[in-house]
């Protein structure tokens, strides 16, 4: 991927998220310094811990610097085409920074500890809430802001609310104190997860992308499935899944992979809006896939108390099933349109790809090793993987240029790294001396706590890079060097901070919502409200439709509508945070396991990300495909809708989440029936399996899919019988049809 492509992709992402501001060199450099500094700060914390500061200060630095970047990068409104940063945004950024300093200094003040904030504390706190909401409006948009304003209004007007919505806690001083100065508001669970876990994985994805791994994933996917019917669309699904599992951003994923896959889809016969829609669904569903899961996995750890490893283990099979559903949708679309695959001559050699660029996959395996085998902390796993990634990418490029000189560089780097464990004490003493010099108390005698795996990662990275270059020479593969140096590293650090901004401000505003829910007492009443509403709906149903599980079914359906309604205007992370705070506890109170409830709201939150008219990935892919964004968004939702039944499947039968005591046979059976159910539902949506459905066949298909949800012996037997009959009749119809010639490439 050349440099122009990378810059153009980043420009598209920023414009889609609300920024078309292009400041000059000096101001642009200032913004980049702040962005790179924020990324380096998080990399340092992931590797060495907090540098002599408390966790509250860490959160403040994370949020305040993120907000400063928002006001420097994102204009007051879209479409201004600014070539500079206006004075008022520079002033707002400076005020935001000053407020951050004030809040850091006031943490241990007696007035704050004793819950008696001063008038100045209240003024600063009020201004801070306003700035958080304004930053959210600029990056995320109005929907989340409107929801936040409604919640704040509810807090102050609670005494006028009817029934169980009534409360009498609407005091201004209490609101500011709880939201700004305590840990159940802005600085609550969402922003903690954003700072502690999410940012470092966004950094991992950005640096991996800067090495050129994204293009390699796409080439590998094309090589793997490109030759099959509708091959480029299937390659889009596979490559977007690989990228989405680490990127954490559906929009960035859509732009990165769509740049390559959408033209290929159009070339083999997919209409522009369909090609864009396939990429929308593939990119959005990447947020289901471990290890990153669109940042939600880390927030889920904080909400549920379930270890990260257990969350990604439970999420893995449903995520694969979601992609199975999209692949079936793509296959049926290709069959309907008689679209063939790509010619082998158009695809790169898989062997050549792996030998020339396969080293870029190694950091992902290192990440999974530390997460799954060693079970280290999430931060440590990401940190070691990033160190290994930088070493591998840098030395692979250098070894390609020349072995002798690079071996000398490697020896020097290893010698310095090995000696750091002995020199680190002197480094720390020097840093402590800066406290006296500048009159600060930031540095501590144990500021940098050296980790032995750092040397192992660098040594391993050098060995891997050397082996790959030697393999290339032995195989006589004249690979073009994937350039990686300081420029590419800084670009990755810069992009990581920019990509994280939407999550940072969305988590801060979601903290306001959670603070209102907690402080007003709504959290303790919401379950009763939903149960009462479900009982009312149940009373309207005929007796034959009422079972022991009717109430939970109604609550799940209500949850789906809540997810789709909220998700139309919110980024996935913010949708999940709100639903995890409000809806997930209701589902657990009704009897669902905690992990089931949280994955249920996450899945429909992600599916809502595809819901027109507010669908950023669709705007991204529509621009690449030259199609209408609304029409593209509708297609994206259609392709993702194969997974609509999946959350009901694991809600009713959580075996596929690997949290039950089911045997291997039962688990295999549950996975097979879920996959067949999703494939059948996909055929119902596409109105096609092996041939076009008639009305009876289509009704049979949806009934079959719904029966597979139950995962009961009787319903499975009926569903299988219906599926076999449906498939046999489709096969008979197909054989009666005249043979069609596949479209040429």
């Amino acid at each position: 991927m050349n440099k122009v492509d990378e810059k153009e992709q980043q420009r598209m992402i920023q414009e889609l998220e609300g920024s078309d501001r292009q400041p000059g060199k000096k101001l642009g450099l200032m913004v980049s310094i702040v962005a790179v500094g924020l990324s380096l700060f998080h990399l340092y914390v992931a590797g060495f811990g907090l540098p002599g500061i408390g966790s509250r200060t860490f959160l403040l630095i994370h949020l305040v610097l993120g907000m400063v970047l928002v006001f420097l990068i994102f204009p007051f409104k879209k479409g201004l085409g600014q070539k500079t940063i206006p004075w008022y945004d520079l002033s707002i950024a400076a005020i935001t920074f000053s407020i951050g300093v004030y809040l850091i200094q006031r943490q241990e003040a007696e007035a704050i500890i004793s819950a008696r904030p001063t008038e100045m504390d209240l003024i600063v706190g009020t201004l801070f809430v306003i700035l958080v909401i304004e930053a959210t409006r600029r990056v995320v948009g109005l929907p989340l802001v409107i929801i936040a304003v409604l919640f704040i209004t509810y807090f102050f007007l609670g005494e006028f609310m009817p029934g169980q919505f009534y409360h009498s806690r609407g005091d201004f001083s209490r609101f500011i104190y709880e939201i700004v100065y305590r840990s159940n508001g802005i600085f609550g669970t969402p922003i903690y997860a954003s700072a502690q876990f999410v940012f470092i994985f966004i950094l991992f994805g950005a640096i991996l992308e800067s090495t050129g791994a994204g293009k390699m994933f796409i080439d590998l996917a094309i090589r793997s499935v490109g030759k099959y019917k509708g091959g480029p669309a299937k390659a889009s699904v596979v490559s977007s899944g690989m990228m989405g599992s680490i990127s954490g951003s559906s929009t960035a994923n859509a732009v990165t992979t769509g740049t390559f896959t959408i033209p290929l889809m159009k070339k083999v016969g997919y209409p522009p809006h369909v090609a864009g829609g396939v990429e929308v669904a593939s990119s959005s569903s990447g947020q289901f896939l471990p290890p990153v899961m669109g940042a939600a996995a880390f927030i889920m750890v904080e909400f549920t108390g379930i270890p990260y490893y257990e969350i990604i283990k439970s999420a893995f099979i449903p995520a694969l099933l979601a992609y199975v559903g999209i692949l079936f949708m793509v296959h049926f679309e290709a069959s309907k349109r008689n679209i063939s695959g790509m010619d082998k001559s158009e695809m790169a050699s898989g062997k050549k790809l792996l030998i020339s660029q396969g080293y870029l996959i190694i950091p992902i395996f290192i990440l999974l090793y530390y997460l799954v085998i060693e079970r280290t902390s999430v931060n440590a796993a990401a940190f070691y993987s990033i160190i290994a990634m930088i070493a591998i990418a840098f030395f692979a490029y250098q070894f390609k240029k020349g072995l002798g000189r690079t071996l000398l560089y490697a020896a020097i780097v290893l010698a310095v790294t090995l000696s750091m464990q002995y020199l680190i004490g002197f480094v720390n003493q020097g840093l402590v001396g800066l406290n006296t010099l500048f009159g600060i108390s930031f540095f501590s005698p144990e500021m940098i706590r050296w980790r032995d795996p750092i040397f192992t990662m660098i040594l391993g990275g050098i060995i891997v890079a050397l082996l790959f270059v030697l393999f290339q020479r032995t195989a006589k593969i004249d690979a073009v060097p994937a350039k990686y140096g300081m420029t590419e590293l800084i670009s990755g650090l810069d992009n990581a901070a920019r990509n994280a901004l939407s999550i940072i401000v969305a988590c801060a505003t979601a903290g306001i919502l959670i603070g209102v829910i907690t402080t007003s007492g709504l959290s303790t009443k919401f379950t009763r409200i939903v149960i009462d509403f479900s009982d009312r709906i149940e009373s309207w149903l005929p007796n034959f439709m009422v079972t022991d599980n009717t109430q939970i079914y109604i609550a799940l359906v209500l949850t789906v509508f809540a997810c789709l309604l909220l998700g139309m205007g919110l980024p996935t992370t913010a949708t999940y945070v709100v639903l995890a705070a409000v809806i997930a506890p209701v589902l657990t109170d009704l009897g669902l396991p905690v992990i089931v409830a949280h994955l249920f709201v996450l899945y429909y939150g992600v599916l809502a990300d595809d819901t027109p008219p507010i669908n950023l990935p669709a705007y991204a892919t529509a621009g690449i495909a030259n199609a209408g964004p609304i029409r593209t968004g509708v297609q994206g939702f259609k392709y993702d809708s194969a997974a609509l039944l999946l959350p009901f499947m694991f809600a009713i039968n959580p075996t596929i989440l690997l949290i039950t005591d089911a045997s291997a046979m039962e688990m295999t059976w549950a996975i097979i029936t879920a996959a067949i159910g999703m494939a059948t539902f996909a055929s119902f949506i596409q109105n096609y399996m092996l041939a076009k459905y008639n009305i009876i066949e289509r009704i049979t298909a949806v009934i079959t899919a719904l029966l597979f949800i139950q995962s009961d012996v009787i319903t499975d037997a009926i569903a299988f019988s219906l599926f076999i009959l449906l498939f046999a009749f489709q096969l008979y119809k197909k054989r009666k049809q005249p043979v069609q010639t596949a479209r040429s490439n």
Side-chain angles (χ1 to χ4, degrees), residues 83-106:
K83 300 297 182 183
T84 186
I85 303 174
W87 65 268
Y88 53 84
D89 276 346
L90 289 170
S91 301
I92 294 174
I95 291 169
T96 303
F97 184 81
S98 301
I99 289 176
V101 173
Y102 178 89
L103 293 176
I104 290 173
Q105 292 174 339
R106 291 290 292 172

Side-chain angles (χ1 to χ4, degrees), residues 260-274:
F260 298 95
T261 59
I262 289 174
L264 289 176
M265 284 188 269
K266 291 172 65 177
K267 183 179 179 183
V268 297
Y270 283 97
H273 66 285
V274 174

